[in-house]
Each structure stands twice: as structure tokens, then as C-alpha cells.
Amino acid sequence: MNNAIELFKRIRKKRYLDRQYAHKYAFVGIGNHSINNLYPVLHYLNVPLKYIVSRSRQTAEMINRNYAPVIGTADYEEVLNDPEIGGVFICASPSQHYQLVKSALLKQKNVFVEKPPCADSVELTDLMEINGRNKPVCVSGFQKRYSVCTSILKERLPDAKTISYNYRFLVGAYPEGDVLTEIFIHPIDYVLYLFGEMEILSVAKTERGKGQVTLLLQVRHKNSTGNIEMSTQYAWNQAQEELSVNTVSGVYRMENHQTLTFMPKPPVVFSVPTEKFLQQNPEKKYLYNGNDMLPVFRNNQLVSLGYYNEIKTFVELCENRKSKNLSPLNSLENTFKAMEFLNR
């Protein structure tokens, strides 16, 4: 048994240390989100970063001092003209994403871009056309599509005969940007990814102060209906993301992408629920349960929330390895249509 354990450890270590890359990469942006969520994944994957691009030369000089041998630069064109660069990660101010992505695609560079990749459907169509002509890889950073809970739901829901769902996305105030396109785009994209194209039946909105908005939506999909609460009138240190999906066979419940359970329903015979005449104890099955007590790879929030899988997918596609892009530009058309409907 000990020999088998040691063999497993050696194989695991070799797989981690023996990563080979044919290309080098560049990263645009050095903000809070990049440092806390994206750079750690790049480091774990040992992705060979050649450049970090900033807006100012002063920041570029600090990058040179602190991130050597990575090159800090404020010259984006220099990066795009470098033949060694096989992919560009873009995580700058959302208002800059469209031009940054467009420039990279025109240079036939593969692109990973944090949400939102652009401001509206017109810009999205433009990026899609350029991407279609030049055929580079373009992965949009909607990390919830890549979370562990999402992959389980995506596998099970198509056969589950969904009836309805309730979804709550609750965070604190967001005065530094556009709430709709930078915050609410996440929950809107998420329900579209899980349940397909939707019709928004009703919208109720409350607003109090800059960046403090609540939207209550009632929506209809092809085979189900949903209620969505999106709000920046709660608190960031008590942020919640909860999804309850009612299906014919039972109820799925997801909490903060850390827990996913399924509770089967008692059978119904000739329209009569068997629980009326047979005592049945409720059963809860854990399909995923992140455990902070065990500091293993699977329990890391960068994995459970999808950041690891989205970046790994992009790098593997750039390296011509087998992987599936869950968030190409053309998959965002319905997301932007819904956002524009809500922005009327």
C-alpha cells in the first residue's frame, strides 16, 4: 500500500512540475481582481508570462522591480507585435476592454478577456466578425460557467425536466462603475447559460444612492420559469449567490458555488402524493461540498468558483491541447440582448 501511495505522489508531482508551453503570454492590467484571482492561477499553472502591461510607465517600472523576469511595459503595441506572444490576458478597466480585445484580435493574438468584453451588442458583433475572420481563440471571463457546481448542474439539468427556479445574487454597493454591465451581467449570463434563451416578463427596480440597485425579474425560458433577485443593496462581506431549481424528480440547491445538494421528491401516484399516506423521511444528497478544513486543490475557491478552469481552458486552447471553450464571444449574444432590455 505504501508503495502505491508513493507512486501516486510521484505521478502527481511529475504532472505538476512537467508543464511545457510552446508560447509566452502577456497580461494587461494589475488591479485587485488580477492580483487576487488570476495571477495565482497563472503561477500555479506555471504559465510563462513575458509582459505585464500597465497604463503608466511608473507602474511598469515597479513591475520590472517586483516581477522580474517579467517585463513591465506601457506599450501595448510592442506586446502585440512580439511573435513570441501566443496569448493575451486582458483584465483592465471594463471601458477599455473593447479596444484592447479588438487590437489583439486584429493582430491574430489569442485573447482571454474578463467580463464584460465590450459595452453593447454592436461592439460584440464587431468583435465576433474580427474573431471569425482571423480565427484566434477568444475566451470571455464568465467564470461561473466554469465552476464545479455549474458543471454538475449543466450535466444533470437537461434530463431533469425543470419546472421553475429562484435565483438570488446579493452584494454590496458598487459606486465605482456601471452596476448593470459590470455586476448584474454575471447573474444574467448565468441563468442564460443554465436554462437557455429567456423572455423577461416583468421588472421591478429600486434604487437608492449611486451604485445601490435592486432588480426583481420574472422570466420565462423554453421549458421553465424563473424569479431572479439581483441587488447591490446588501453587503460585500455577506455576499450571497443562491439557486434553487425545482424539477420533476426533486430540488437542486446551490449556495455560493460551494455547496450543491439534491433533495428527491416523494413519488406521486395517480396525482396523489405518496407522502400523504406513507411516512417518508426527507433525503438530501450532497453533489458537491467545498470543505475549508481540508486545504486541498479541489476545495480552493479559485477552483470551485471557476477561475482556475477558465484560465486553464484558455491556455490549453492556445497550446493546441484538447479543451472546450464554454464562453466564446458568440455565446454572449443573448446576454447582451437581455442587458440592453434592462437598460431601457
Side-chain angles (χ1 to χ4, degrees):
M1 178 60 72
N2 288 337
N3 289 337
I5 293 173
E6 287 301 316
L7 177 61
F8 171 76
K9 288 182 177 179
R10 286 197 300 270
I11 293 172
R12 182 177 60 186
K13 187 185 299 183
K14 185 177 186 299
R15 187 166 60 240
Y16 173 71
L17 294 175
D18 194 28
R19 292 193 175 107
Q20 301 290 325
Y21 296 96
H23 305 289
K24 293 186 178 180
Y25 294 81
F27 200 108
V28 182
I30 192 164
N32 185 61
H33 175 55
S34 304
I35 292 171
N36 289 312
N37 298 319
L38 304 184
Y39 285 177
V41 176
L42 296 176
H43 179 73
Y44 179 83
L45 292 171
N46 200 26
V47 174
L49 271 187
K50 183 174 182 179
Y51 298 100
I52 295 178
V53 183
S54 66
R55 283 186 290 183
S56 72
R57 292 183 179 178
Q58 183 180 12
T59 302
E61 290 172 1
M62 289 191 288
I63 292 169
N64 284 323
R65 289 198 300 269
N66 292 287
Y67 285 84
V70 177
I71 301 169
T73 180
D75 190 344
Y76 187 45
E77 283 298 313
E78 174 193 8
V79 173
L80 296 182
N81 289 326
D82 188 333
E84 281 193 314
I85 298 302
V88 181
F89 296 90
I90 296 175
C91 185
S93 171
S95 62
Q96 297 178 302
H97 282 178
Y98 167 67
Q99 286 297 339
L100 291 169
V101 174
K102 183 174 182 177
S103 297
L105 293 178
L106 286 171
K107 292 286 187 177
Q108 298 189 30
K109 297 295 186 184
N110 299 315
V111 176
F112 171 92
V113 55
E114 260 300 339
K115 56 81 189 168
C118 53
D120 53 41
S121 292
V122 174
E123 291 184 351
L124 180 65
T125 299
D126 187 34
L127 294 179
M128 287 167 53
E129 290 177 351
I130 297 170
N131 194 31
R133 290 198 304 269
N134 295 339
K135 303 296 184 183
V137 173
C138 190
V139 174
S140 302
F142 288 88
Q143 84 278 354
K144 296 180 191 301
R145 296 188 179 198
Y146 296 84
S147 83
V148 177
C149 290
T150 303
S151 65
I152 297 171
L153 286 170
K154 196 69 174 172
E155 180 181 348
R156 296 173 71 108
L157 287 181
D159 299 323
K161 297 181 181 178
T162 301
I163 300 169
S164 63
Y165 67 87
N166 288 282
Y167 180 45
R168 305 179 77 214
F169 183 90
L170 317 174
V171 297
Y174 187 73
E176 64 266 37
D178 182 74
V179 170
L180 191 62
T181 59
E182 297 176 30
I183 300 295
F184 290 167
I185 193 171
H186 263 309
I188 290 296
D189 180 77
Y190 193 56
V191 297
L192 284 165
Y193 181 69
L194 284 179
F195 305 107
E197 189 174 357
M198 70 183 180
E199 176 188 3
I200 299 175
L201 303 176
S202 66
V203 181
K205 180 179 181 180
T206 61
E207 191 167 0
R208 182 181 180 181
K210 183 173 175 58
Q212 299 179 59
V213 182
T214 295
L215 289 179
L216 299 175
L217 310 183
Q218 185 178 42
V219 302
R220 178 167 56 209
H221 302 267
K222 182 179 180 180
N223 297 312
S224 62
T225 58
N227 292 304
I228 304 170
E229 179 184 2
M230 306 180 292
S231 180
T232 56
Q233 292 182 303
Y234 285 76
W236 285 102
N237 62 7
Q238 300 171 29
Q240 301 175 60
E241 185 174 4
E242 301 171 348
L243 174 66
S244 176
V245 185
N246 182 26
T247 72
V248 170
S249 58
V251 178
Y252 293 89
R253 287 192 172 90
M254 184 275 291
E255 297 182 11
N256 298 330
H257 293 272
Q258 299 302 304
T259 303
L260 178 62
T261 62
F262 176 69
M263 293 188 69
K265 294 179 182 177
V268 176
V269 179
F270 299 114
S271 300
V272 178
T274 56
E275 58 188 324
K276 288 284 188 178
F277 51 87
L278 291 175
Q279 183 177 356
Q280 301 177 26
N281 295 322
E283 179 186 7
K284 179 187 286 189
K285 298 180 179 179
Y286 279 86
L287 305 178
Y288 176 76
N289 189 28
N291 186 346
D292 294 336
M293 182 65 181
L294 297 176
V296 296
F297 178 77
R298 180 176 171 82
N299 289 333
N300 191 304
Q301 285 191 329
L302 294 177
V303 176
S304 61
L305 295 177
Y307 293 110
Y308 171 80
N309 285 328
E310 66 175 1
I311 290 178
K312 181 172 180 285
T313 294
F314 174 66
V315 174
E316 287 180 340
L317 290 172
C318 290
E319 298 290 323
N320 293 317
R321 299 171 188 165
K322 186 177 180 181
S323 196
K324 184 177 181 180
N325 186 356
L326 302 180
S327 52
L329 290 173
N330 59 11
S331 72
L332 306 179
E333 289 183 278
N334 287 330
T335 300
F336 276 89
K337 287 179 183 177
M339 301 297 292
E340 288 162 4
F341 179 88
L342 294 173
N343 203 28
R344 292 176 183 174

